[in-house]
Structure formats: C-alpha cells, structure tokens
mmCIF file of all heavy atoms in Angstrom:
data_model
loop_
_atom_site.group_PDB
_atom_site.id
_atom_site.type_symbol
_atom_site.label_atom_id
_atom_site.label_comp_id
_atom_site.label_asym_id
_atom_site.label_seq_id
_atom_site.Cartn_x
_atom_site.Cartn_y
_atom_site.Cartn_z
ATOM 1 N N ASP A 127 4.665 3.397 2.511
ATOM 2 C CA ASP A 127 4.896 2.037 2.991
ATOM 3 C C ASP A 127 3.670 1.551 3.760
ATOM 4 O O ASP A 127 2.638 2.237 3.821
ATOM 5 C CB ASP A 127 6.175 1.952 3.829
ATOM 6 C CG ASP A 127 6.141 2.852 5.061
ATOM 7 O OD1 ASP A 127 5.053 3.338 5.450
ATOM 8 O OD2 ASP A 127 7.225 3.071 5.654
ATOM 9 N N THR A 128 3.759 0.374 4.366
ATOM 10 C CA THR A 128 2.595 -0.196 5.052
ATOM 11 C C THR A 128 2.144 0.681 6.211
ATOM 12 O O THR A 128 0.937 0.927 6.392
ATOM 13 C CB THR A 128 2.911 -1.609 5.571
ATOM 14 O OG1 THR A 128 3.439 -2.392 4.495
ATOM 15 C CG2 THR A 128 1.651 -2.283 6.098
ATOM 16 N N ASP A 129 3.083 1.180 7.012
ATOM 17 C CA ASP A 129 2.707 2.074 8.112
ATOM 18 C C ASP A 129 2.033 3.323 7.571
ATOM 19 O O ASP A 129 1.061 3.830 8.153
ATOM 20 C CB ASP A 129 3.941 2.459 8.930
ATOM 21 C CG ASP A 129 4.471 1.307 9.774
ATOM 22 O OD1 ASP A 129 3.725 0.321 9.970
ATOM 23 O OD2 ASP A 129 5.630 1.395 10.237
ATOM 24 N N GLY A 130 2.538 3.821 6.467
ATOM 25 C CA GLY A 130 1.939 4.996 5.843
ATOM 26 C C GLY A 130 0.521 4.732 5.377
ATOM 27 O O GLY A 130 -0.372 5.583 5.532
ATOM 28 N N MET A 131 0.280 3.546 4.827
ATOM 29 C CA MET A 131 -1.068 3.213 4.381
ATOM 30 C C MET A 131 -2.012 3.030 5.563
ATOM 31 O O MET A 131 -3.204 3.389 5.483
ATOM 32 C CB MET A 131 -1.025 1.944 3.524
ATOM 33 C CG MET A 131 -0.344 2.130 2.170
ATOM 34 S SD MET A 131 -1.030 3.471 1.166
ATOM 35 C CE MET A 131 -2.704 2.877 0.887
ATOM 36 N N GLU A 132 -1.499 2.500 6.662
ATOM 37 C CA GLU A 132 -2.329 2.421 7.872
ATOM 38 C C GLU A 132 -2.729 3.824 8.323
ATOM 39 O O GLU A 132 -3.886 4.054 8.715
ATOM 40 C CB GLU A 132 -1.563 1.704 8.990
ATOM 41 C CG GLU A 132 -1.298 0.231 8.732
ATOM 42 C CD GLU A 132 -2.510 -0.643 9.011
ATOM 43 O OE1 GLU A 132 -3.594 -0.104 9.299
ATOM 44 O OE2 GLU A 132 -2.356 -1.881 8.939
ATOM 45 N N GLU A 133 -1.797 4.756 8.257
ATOM 46 C CA GLU A 133 -2.106 6.142 8.618
ATOM 47 C C GLU A 133 -3.131 6.733 7.655
ATOM 48 O O GLU A 133 -4.049 7.451 8.066
ATOM 49 C CB GLU A 133 -0.824 6.985 8.617
ATOM 50 C CG GLU A 133 -1.058 8.428 9.021
ATOM 51 C CD GLU A 133 0.201 9.276 8.959
ATOM 52 O OE1 GLU A 133 1.296 8.715 8.719
ATOM 53 O OE2 GLU A 133 0.082 10.508 9.149
ATOM 54 N N VAL A 134 -2.968 6.432 6.364
ATOM 55 C CA VAL A 134 -3.923 6.913 5.362
ATOM 56 C C VAL A 134 -5.332 6.454 5.705
ATOM 57 O O VAL A 134 -6.287 7.248 5.734
ATOM 58 C CB VAL A 134 -3.527 6.402 3.957
ATOM 59 C CG1 VAL A 134 -4.697 6.524 2.980
ATOM 60 C CG2 VAL A 134 -2.325 7.178 3.426
ATOM 61 N N PHE A 135 -5.494 5.156 6.008
ATOM 62 C CA PHE A 135 -6.828 4.632 6.238
ATOM 63 C C PHE A 135 -7.399 5.035 7.591
ATOM 64 O O PHE A 135 -8.604 4.923 7.812
ATOM 65 C CB PHE A 135 -6.817 3.103 6.084
ATOM 66 C CG PHE A 135 -7.125 2.658 4.677
ATOM 67 C CD1 PHE A 135 -6.530 3.283 3.587
ATOM 68 C CD2 PHE A 135 -8.004 1.628 4.439
ATOM 69 C CE1 PHE A 135 -6.815 2.894 2.288
ATOM 70 C CE2 PHE A 135 -8.300 1.223 3.141
ATOM 71 C CZ PHE A 135 -7.701 1.857 2.064
ATOM 72 N N ALA A 136 -6.540 5.507 8.484
ATOM 73 C CA ALA A 136 -7.012 6.017 9.772
ATOM 74 C C ALA A 136 -7.412 7.489 9.681
ATOM 75 O O ALA A 136 -7.955 8.048 10.632
ATOM 76 C CB ALA A 136 -5.922 5.849 10.831
ATOM 77 N N THR A 137 -7.157 8.099 8.527
ATOM 78 C CA THR A 137 -7.434 9.517 8.320
ATOM 79 C C THR A 137 -8.814 9.697 7.704
ATOM 80 O O THR A 137 -9.229 8.906 6.852
ATOM 81 C CB THR A 137 -6.377 10.130 7.368
ATOM 82 O OG1 THR A 137 -5.089 9.958 7.941
ATOM 83 C CG2 THR A 137 -6.640 11.609 7.133
ATOM 84 N N ARG A 138 -9.511 10.718 8.131
ATOM 85 C CA ARG A 138 -10.812 11.023 7.532
ATOM 86 C C ARG A 138 -10.655 11.178 6.026
ATOM 87 O O ARG A 138 -9.755 11.865 5.564
ATOM 88 C CB ARG A 138 -11.363 12.305 8.166
ATOM 89 C CG ARG A 138 -12.790 12.632 7.773
ATOM 90 C CD ARG A 138 -13.368 13.662 8.712
ATOM 91 N NE ARG A 138 -14.704 14.072 8.303
ATOM 92 C CZ ARG A 138 -14.966 15.215 7.663
ATOM 93 N NH1 ARG A 138 -13.984 16.060 7.388
ATOM 94 N NH2 ARG A 138 -16.203 15.523 7.328
ATOM 95 N N ARG A 139 -11.503 10.519 5.277
ATOM 96 C CA ARG A 139 -11.488 10.474 3.813
ATOM 97 C C ARG A 139 -10.374 9.588 3.251
ATOM 98 O O ARG A 139 -10.246 9.434 2.045
ATOM 99 C CB ARG A 139 -11.384 11.875 3.190
ATOM 100 C CG ARG A 139 -12.530 12.824 3.559
ATOM 101 C CD ARG A 139 -12.394 14.170 2.845
ATOM 102 N NE ARG A 139 -13.518 15.044 3.117
ATOM 103 C CZ ARG A 139 -13.584 15.877 4.146
ATOM 104 N NH1 ARG A 139 -12.579 15.936 5.006
ATOM 105 N NH2 ARG A 139 -14.627 16.648 4.330
ATOM 106 N N GLY A 140 -9.552 9.004 4.117
ATOM 107 C CA GLY A 140 -8.448 8.181 3.645
ATOM 108 C C GLY A 140 -8.891 6.912 2.945
ATOM 109 O O GLY A 140 -8.158 6.373 2.107
ATOM 110 N N GLU A 141 -10.100 6.425 3.273
ATOM 111 C CA GLU A 141 -10.564 5.213 2.625
ATOM 112 C C GLU A 141 -10.961 5.451 1.177
ATOM 113 O O GLU A 141 -11.289 4.499 0.456
ATOM 114 C CB GLU A 141 -11.715 4.585 3.413
ATOM 115 C CG GLU A 141 -11.243 4.010 4.745
ATOM 116 C CD GLU A 141 -12.270 3.099 5.395
ATOM 117 O OE1 GLU A 141 -13.367 2.922 4.821
ATOM 118 O OE2 GLU A 141 -11.968 2.572 6.471
ATOM 119 N N GLY A 142 -10.904 6.700 0.735
ATOM 120 C CA GLY A 142 -11.091 6.993 -0.686
ATOM 121 C C GLY A 142 -9.859 6.682 -1.512
ATOM 122 O O GLY A 142 -9.920 6.666 -2.747
ATOM 123 N N VAL A 143 -8.731 6.435 -0.854
ATOM 124 C CA VAL A 143 -7.488 6.110 -1.563
ATOM 125 C C VAL A 143 -7.618 4.721 -2.185
ATOM 126 O O VAL A 143 -7.913 3.746 -1.489
ATOM 127 C CB VAL A 143 -6.286 6.167 -0.596
ATOM 128 C CG1 VAL A 143 -5.053 5.521 -1.218
ATOM 129 C CG2 VAL A 143 -5.995 7.621 -0.224
ATOM 130 N N CYS A 144 -7.385 4.632 -3.491
ATOM 131 C CA CYS A 144 -7.570 3.351 -4.186
ATOM 132 C C CYS A 144 -6.301 2.858 -4.870
ATOM 133 O O CYS A 144 -6.302 1.742 -5.412
ATOM 134 C CB CYS A 144 -8.701 3.464 -5.210
ATOM 135 S SG CYS A 144 -8.370 4.583 -6.598
ATOM 136 N N VAL A 145 -5.217 3.653 -4.857
ATOM 137 C CA VAL A 145 -3.961 3.277 -5.513
ATOM 138 C C VAL A 145 -2.802 3.758 -4.656
ATOM 139 O O VAL A 145 -2.855 4.841 -4.055
ATOM 140 C CB VAL A 145 -3.855 3.913 -6.923
ATOM 141 C CG1 VAL A 145 -2.436 3.800 -7.482
ATOM 142 C CG2 VAL A 145 -4.833 3.261 -7.889
ATOM 143 N N ASN A 146 -1.753 2.952 -4.606
ATOM 144 C CA ASN A 146 -0.470 3.363 -4.028
ATOM 145 C C ASN A 146 0.594 3.057 -5.077
ATOM 146 O O ASN A 146 0.820 1.899 -5.423
ATOM 147 C CB ASN A 146 -0.182 2.596 -2.734
ATOM 148 C CG ASN A 146 1.110 3.032 -2.064
ATOM 149 O OD1 ASN A 146 1.672 4.084 -2.367
ATOM 150 N ND2 ASN A 146 1.587 2.228 -1.137
ATOM 151 N N GLN A 147 1.227 4.093 -5.608
ATOM 152 C CA GLN A 147 2.253 3.920 -6.641
ATOM 153 C C GLN A 147 3.628 3.855 -5.976
ATOM 154 O O GLN A 147 4.006 4.770 -5.252
ATOM 155 C CB GLN A 147 2.208 5.077 -7.646
ATOM 156 C CG GLN A 147 3.180 4.911 -8.791
ATOM 157 C CD GLN A 147 3.138 6.068 -9.772
ATOM 158 O OE1 GLN A 147 4.146 6.703 -10.040
ATOM 159 N NE2 GLN A 147 1.964 6.360 -10.329
ATOM 160 N N VAL A 148 4.347 2.760 -6.223
ATOM 161 C CA VAL A 148 5.637 2.557 -5.557
ATOM 162 C C VAL A 148 6.666 2.015 -6.545
ATOM 163 O O VAL A 148 6.324 1.465 -7.591
ATOM 164 C CB VAL A 148 5.520 1.578 -4.358
ATOM 165 C CG1 VAL A 148 4.567 2.121 -3.307
ATOM 166 C CG2 VAL A 148 5.090 0.196 -4.818
ATOM 167 N N LEU A 149 7.932 2.149 -6.169
ATOM 168 C CA LEU A 149 9.018 1.550 -6.932
ATOM 169 C C LEU A 149 8.952 0.033 -6.767
ATOM 170 O O LEU A 149 9.022 -0.484 -5.650
ATOM 171 C CB LEU A 149 10.360 2.078 -6.425
ATOM 172 C CG LEU A 149 11.615 1.498 -7.072
ATOM 173 C CD1 LEU A 149 11.691 1.860 -8.550
ATOM 174 C CD2 LEU A 149 12.869 2.000 -6.345
ATOM 175 N N TYR A 150 8.819 -0.675 -7.891
ATOM 176 C CA TYR A 150 8.743 -2.131 -7.820
ATOM 177 C C TYR A 150 9.260 -2.731 -9.114
ATOM 178 O O TYR A 150 8.742 -2.452 -10.201
ATOM 179 C CB TYR A 150 7.306 -2.592 -7.569
ATOM 180 C CG TYR A 150 7.172 -4.092 -7.425
ATOM 181 C CD1 TYR A 150 7.906 -4.786 -6.462
ATOM 182 C CD2 TYR A 150 6.324 -4.826 -8.251
ATOM 183 C CE1 TYR A 150 7.796 -6.164 -6.330
ATOM 184 C CE2 TYR A 150 6.203 -6.202 -8.116
ATOM 185 C CZ TYR A 150 6.945 -6.866 -7.155
ATOM 186 O OH TYR A 150 6.839 -8.227 -7.021
ATOM 187 N N ASN A 151 10.301 -3.517 -8.983
ATOM 188 C CA ASN A 151 10.867 -4.220 -10.129
ATOM 189 C C ASN A 151 11.679 -5.409 -9.601
ATOM 190 O O ASN A 151 11.749 -5.643 -8.388
ATOM 191 C CB ASN A 151 11.693 -3.281 -11.013
ATOM 192 C CG ASN A 151 12.804 -2.579 -10.256
ATOM 193 O OD1 ASN A 151 13.645 -3.224 -9.614
ATOM 194 N ND2 ASN A 151 12.818 -1.247 -10.298
ATOM 195 N N LEU A 152 12.297 -6.141 -10.499
ATOM 196 C CA LEU A 152 13.055 -7.332 -10.113
ATOM 197 C C LEU A 152 14.141 -7.035 -9.083
ATOM 198 O O LEU A 152 14.416 -7.859 -8.204
ATOM 199 C CB LEU A 152 13.691 -7.955 -11.358
ATOM 200 C CG LEU A 152 12.714 -8.662 -12.307
ATOM 201 C CD1 LEU A 152 13.372 -8.887 -13.654
ATOM 202 C CD2 LEU A 152 12.272 -9.986 -11.707
ATOM 203 N N ALA A 153 14.763 -5.874 -9.196
ATOM 204 C CA ALA A 153 15.859 -5.529 -8.294
ATOM 205 C C ALA A 153 15.394 -4.776 -7.058
ATOM 206 O O ALA A 153 16.174 -4.586 -6.122
ATOM 207 C CB ALA A 153 16.909 -4.699 -9.048
ATOM 208 N N GLN A 154 14.142 -4.332 -7.045
ATOM 209 C CA GLN A 154 13.591 -3.536 -5.945
ATOM 210 C C GLN A 154 12.271 -4.173 -5.515
ATOM 211 O O GLN A 154 11.194 -3.783 -5.968
ATOM 212 C CB GLN A 154 13.374 -2.092 -6.390
ATOM 213 C CG GLN A 154 14.595 -1.398 -6.965
ATOM 214 C CD GLN A 154 15.552 -0.933 -5.874
ATOM 215 O OE1 GLN A 154 15.198 -0.905 -4.688
ATOM 216 N NE2 GLN A 154 16.761 -0.548 -6.257
ATOM 217 N N ARG A 155 12.355 -5.169 -4.620
ATOM 218 C CA ARG A 155 11.195 -5.982 -4.288
ATOM 219 C C ARG A 155 10.658 -5.749 -2.879
ATOM 220 O O ARG A 155 9.877 -6.555 -2.365
ATOM 221 C CB ARG A 155 11.551 -7.466 -4.470
ATOM 222 C CG ARG A 155 11.936 -7.817 -5.892
ATOM 223 C CD ARG A 155 12.296 -9.294 -6.078
ATOM 224 N NE ARG A 155 11.196 -10.186 -5.755
ATOM 225 C CZ ARG A 155 11.213 -11.501 -5.999
ATOM 226 N NH1 ARG A 155 12.273 -12.053 -6.573
ATOM 227 N NH2 ARG A 155 10.188 -12.257 -5.668
ATOM 228 N N ALA A 156 11.030 -4.643 -2.254
ATOM 229 C CA ALA A 156 10.622 -4.415 -0.861
ATOM 230 C C ALA A 156 9.109 -4.413 -0.690
ATOM 231 O O ALA A 156 8.600 -4.783 0.378
ATOM 232 C CB ALA A 156 11.212 -3.102 -0.356
ATOM 233 N N ALA A 157 8.370 -4.033 -1.715
ATOM 234 C CA ALA A 157 6.909 -3.988 -1.605
ATOM 235 C C ALA A 157 6.311 -5.355 -1.295
ATOM 236 O O ALA A 157 5.189 -5.455 -0.777
ATOM 237 C CB ALA A 157 6.300 -3.433 -2.891
ATOM 238 N N GLU A 158 7.046 -6.431 -1.604
ATOM 239 C CA GLU A 158 6.533 -7.780 -1.357
ATOM 240 C C GLU A 158 6.547 -8.158 0.126
ATOM 241 O O GLU A 158 5.871 -9.118 0.521
ATOM 242 C CB GLU A 158 7.353 -8.803 -2.137
ATOM 243 C CG GLU A 158 7.220 -8.694 -3.638
ATOM 244 C CD GLU A 158 8.131 -9.673 -4.353
ATOM 245 O OE1 GLU A 158 8.459 -10.725 -3.775
ATOM 246 O OE2 GLU A 158 8.550 -9.372 -5.483
ATOM 247 N N ASP A 159 7.314 -7.441 0.943
ATOM 248 C CA ASP A 159 7.469 -7.846 2.342
ATOM 249 C C ASP A 159 6.143 -7.787 3.088
ATOM 250 O O ASP A 159 5.715 -8.756 3.699
ATOM 251 C CB ASP A 159 8.525 -6.966 3.017
ATOM 252 C CG ASP A 159 8.739 -7.345 4.473
ATOM 253 O OD1 ASP A 159 8.717 -8.556 4.780
ATOM 254 O OD2 ASP A 159 8.908 -6.447 5.305
ATOM 255 N N GLU A 160 5.436 -6.659 3.045
ATOM 256 C CA GLU A 160 4.147 -6.512 3.719
ATOM 257 C C GLU A 160 3.147 -5.730 2.877
ATOM 258 O O GLU A 160 1.955 -6.003 2.911
ATOM 259 C CB GLU A 160 4.318 -5.770 5.058
ATOM 260 C CG GLU A 160 5.111 -6.504 6.111
ATOM 261 C CD GLU A 160 5.223 -5.688 7.394
ATOM 262 O OE1 GLU A 160 4.923 -4.472 7.351
ATOM 263 O OE2 GLU A 160 5.593 -6.261 8.420
ATOM 264 N N LEU A 161 3.669 -4.758 2.142
ATOM 265 C CA LEU A 161 2.801 -3.783 1.487
ATOM 266 C C LEU A 161 1.878 -4.411 0.448
ATOM 267 O O LEU A 161 0.692 -4.068 0.365
ATOM 268 C CB LEU A 161 3.652 -2.693 0.834
ATOM 269 C CG LEU A 161 2.890 -1.566 0.136
ATOM 270 C CD1 LEU A 161 2.029 -0.811 1.138
ATOM 271 C CD2 LEU A 161 3.866 -0.616 -0.553
ATOM 272 N N MET A 162 2.402 -5.330 -0.346
ATOM 273 C CA MET A 162 1.605 -5.923 -1.410
ATOM 274 C C MET A 162 0.381 -6.638 -0.839
ATOM 275 O O MET A 162 -0.742 -6.474 -1.332
ATOM 276 C CB MET A 162 2.468 -6.884 -2.219
ATOM 277 C CG MET A 162 1.815 -7.388 -3.492
ATOM 278 S SD MET A 162 2.947 -8.437 -4.435
ATOM 279 C CE MET A 162 4.133 -7.221 -4.994
ATOM 280 N N ALA A 163 0.584 -7.413 0.216
ATOM 281 C CA ALA A 163 -0.535 -8.133 0.834
ATOM 282 C C ALA A 163 -1.526 -7.161 1.456
ATOM 283 O O ALA A 163 -2.750 -7.365 1.387
ATOM 284 C CB ALA A 163 -0.009 -9.107 1.879
ATOM 285 N N TRP A 164 -1.016 -6.092 2.091
ATOM 286 C CA TRP A 164 -1.899 -5.102 2.702
ATOM 287 C C TRP A 164 -2.789 -4.461 1.635
ATOM 288 O O TRP A 164 -4.001 -4.316 1.821
ATOM 289 C CB TRP A 164 -1.072 -4.030 3.408
ATOM 290 C CG TRP A 164 -1.886 -3.104 4.267
ATOM 291 C CD1 TRP A 164 -2.067 -3.178 5.608
ATOM 292 C CD2 TRP A 164 -2.646 -1.968 3.826
ATOM 293 N NE1 TRP A 164 -2.889 -2.168 6.042
ATOM 294 C CE2 TRP A 164 -3.271 -1.412 4.966
ATOM 295 C CE3 TRP A 164 -2.867 -1.382 2.589
ATOM 296 C CZ2 TRP A 164 -4.089 -0.288 4.899
ATOM 297 C CZ3 TRP A 164 -3.701 -0.263 2.508
ATOM 298 C CH2 TRP A 164 -4.291 0.272 3.658
ATOM 299 N N CYS A 165 -2.178 -4.085 0.521
ATOM 300 C CA CYS A 165 -2.941 -3.426 -0.545
ATOM 301 C C CYS A 165 -3.987 -4.377 -1.126
ATOM 302 O O CYS A 165 -5.133 -3.979 -1.368
ATOM 303 C CB CYS A 165 -2.000 -2.932 -1.637
ATOM 304 S SG CYS A 165 -1.030 -1.477 -1.155
ATOM 305 N N GLU A 166 -3.616 -5.633 -1.327
ATOM 306 C CA GLU A 166 -4.578 -6.595 -1.874
ATOM 307 C C GLU A 166 -5.742 -6.787 -0.915
ATOM 308 O O GLU A 166 -6.908 -6.830 -1.336
ATOM 309 C CB GLU A 166 -3.889 -7.921 -2.151
ATOM 310 C CG GLU A 166 -4.798 -8.939 -2.815
ATOM 311 C CD GLU A 166 -4.070 -10.205 -3.208
ATOM 312 O OE1 GLU A 166 -2.893 -10.369 -2.832
ATOM 313 O OE2 GLU A 166 -4.693 -11.042 -3.895
ATOM 314 N N MET A 167 -5.458 -6.875 0.365
ATOM 315 C CA MET A 167 -6.504 -7.087 1.362
ATOM 316 C C MET A 167 -7.470 -5.906 1.417
ATOM 317 O O MET A 167 -8.659 -6.068 1.710
ATOM 318 C CB MET A 167 -5.875 -7.304 2.738
ATOM 319 C CG MET A 167 -6.865 -7.588 3.848
ATOM 320 S SD MET A 167 -6.035 -7.964 5.415
ATOM 321 C CE MET A 167 -5.188 -6.405 5.738
ATOM 322 N N ASN A 168 -6.972 -4.705 1.112
ATOM 323 C CA ASN A 168 -7.793 -3.497 1.220
ATOM 324 C C ASN A 168 -8.260 -2.961 -0.134
ATOM 325 O O ASN A 168 -8.734 -1.828 -0.222
ATOM 326 C CB ASN A 168 -7.008 -2.414 1.975
ATOM 327 C CG ASN A 168 -6.862 -2.735 3.438
ATOM 328 O OD1 ASN A 168 -7.772 -2.502 4.235
ATOM 329 N ND2 ASN A 168 -5.712 -3.282 3.824
ATOM 330 N N ASP A 169 -8.142 -3.769 -1.188
ATOM 331 C CA ASP A 169 -8.606 -3.399 -2.534
ATOM 332 C C ASP A 169 -7.937 -2.131 -3.042
ATOM 333 O O ASP A 169 -8.555 -1.296 -3.711
ATOM 334 C CB ASP A 169 -10.128 -3.225 -2.563
ATOM 335 C CG ASP A 169 -10.864 -4.526 -2.295
ATOM 336 O OD1 ASP A 169 -10.362 -5.574 -2.718
ATOM 337 O OD2 ASP A 169 -11.935 -4.475 -1.660
ATOM 338 N N VAL A 170 -6.677 -1.993 -2.712
ATOM 339 C CA VAL A 170 -5.866 -0.871 -3.205
ATOM 340 C C VAL A 170 -4.914 -1.422 -4.264
ATOM 341 O O VAL A 170 -4.186 -2.386 -4.012
ATOM 342 C CB VAL A 170 -5.057 -0.215 -2.067
ATOM 343 C CG1 VAL A 170 -4.094 0.835 -2.606
ATOM 344 C CG2 VAL A 170 -6.002 0.413 -1.046
ATOM 345 N N ALA A 171 -4.922 -0.844 -5.444
ATOM 346 C CA ALA A 171 -4.003 -1.288 -6.484
ATOM 347 C C ALA A 171 -2.593 -0.813 -6.157
ATOM 348 O O ALA A 171 -2.397 0.316 -5.689
ATOM 349 C CB ALA A 171 -4.425 -0.756 -7.846
ATOM 350 N N LEU A 172 -1.628 -1.661 -6.424
ATOM 351 C CA LEU A 172 -0.225 -1.278 -6.319
ATOM 352 C C LEU A 172 0.237 -0.945 -7.732
ATOM 353 O O LEU A 172 0.188 -1.786 -8.625
ATOM 354 C CB LEU A 172 0.587 -2.442 -5.754
ATOM 355 C CG LEU A 172 1.952 -2.116 -5.149
ATOM 356 C CD1 LEU A 172 1.784 -1.296 -3.874
ATOM 357 C CD2 LEU A 172 2.704 -3.397 -4.846
#
C-alpha cells in the first residue's frame, strides 16, 4: 500500500523498485485512493 511504498523508498536500494503489483479491477478499486497517484508521481508502474 502507500505506507508500504513510502517504507520501500526510505530503504537503502528501495529506489530501485520500479513496479508495484496489486489487486485492481472494477470491483476492487482501493488502489485509486492514494496509491495510484503515489506510483505515478514516483515513476512506479502499477
């Protein structure tokens, strides 16, 4: 989640992370709350 990605980027070598794979579909849209914008801002593919 977003807090998890913040932890990732605060970790040594964490900025090498370029993808976060998550459950996302019409019925499961939680990624849109904060995570999608965070990933776009940090050039991480969802």
Side-chain angles (χ1 to χ4, degrees):
D127 60 15
T128 308
D129 288 344
M131 291 305 296
E132 293 281 6
E133 182 183 354
V134 163
F135 269 45
T137 301
R138 188 164 176 258
R139 300 183 176 88
E141 291 194 359
V143 167
C144 66
V145 167
N146 183 16
Q147 184 181 124
V148 299
L149 177 65
Y150 183 57
N151 56 55
L152 288 164
Q154 305 282 347
R155 299 180 61 171
E158 294 176 27
D159 180 38
E160 294 180 346
L161 182 62
M162 190 176 290
W164 190 98
C165 287
E166 184 174 8
M167 182 175 63
N168 289 279
D169 295 325
V170 173
L172 199 68

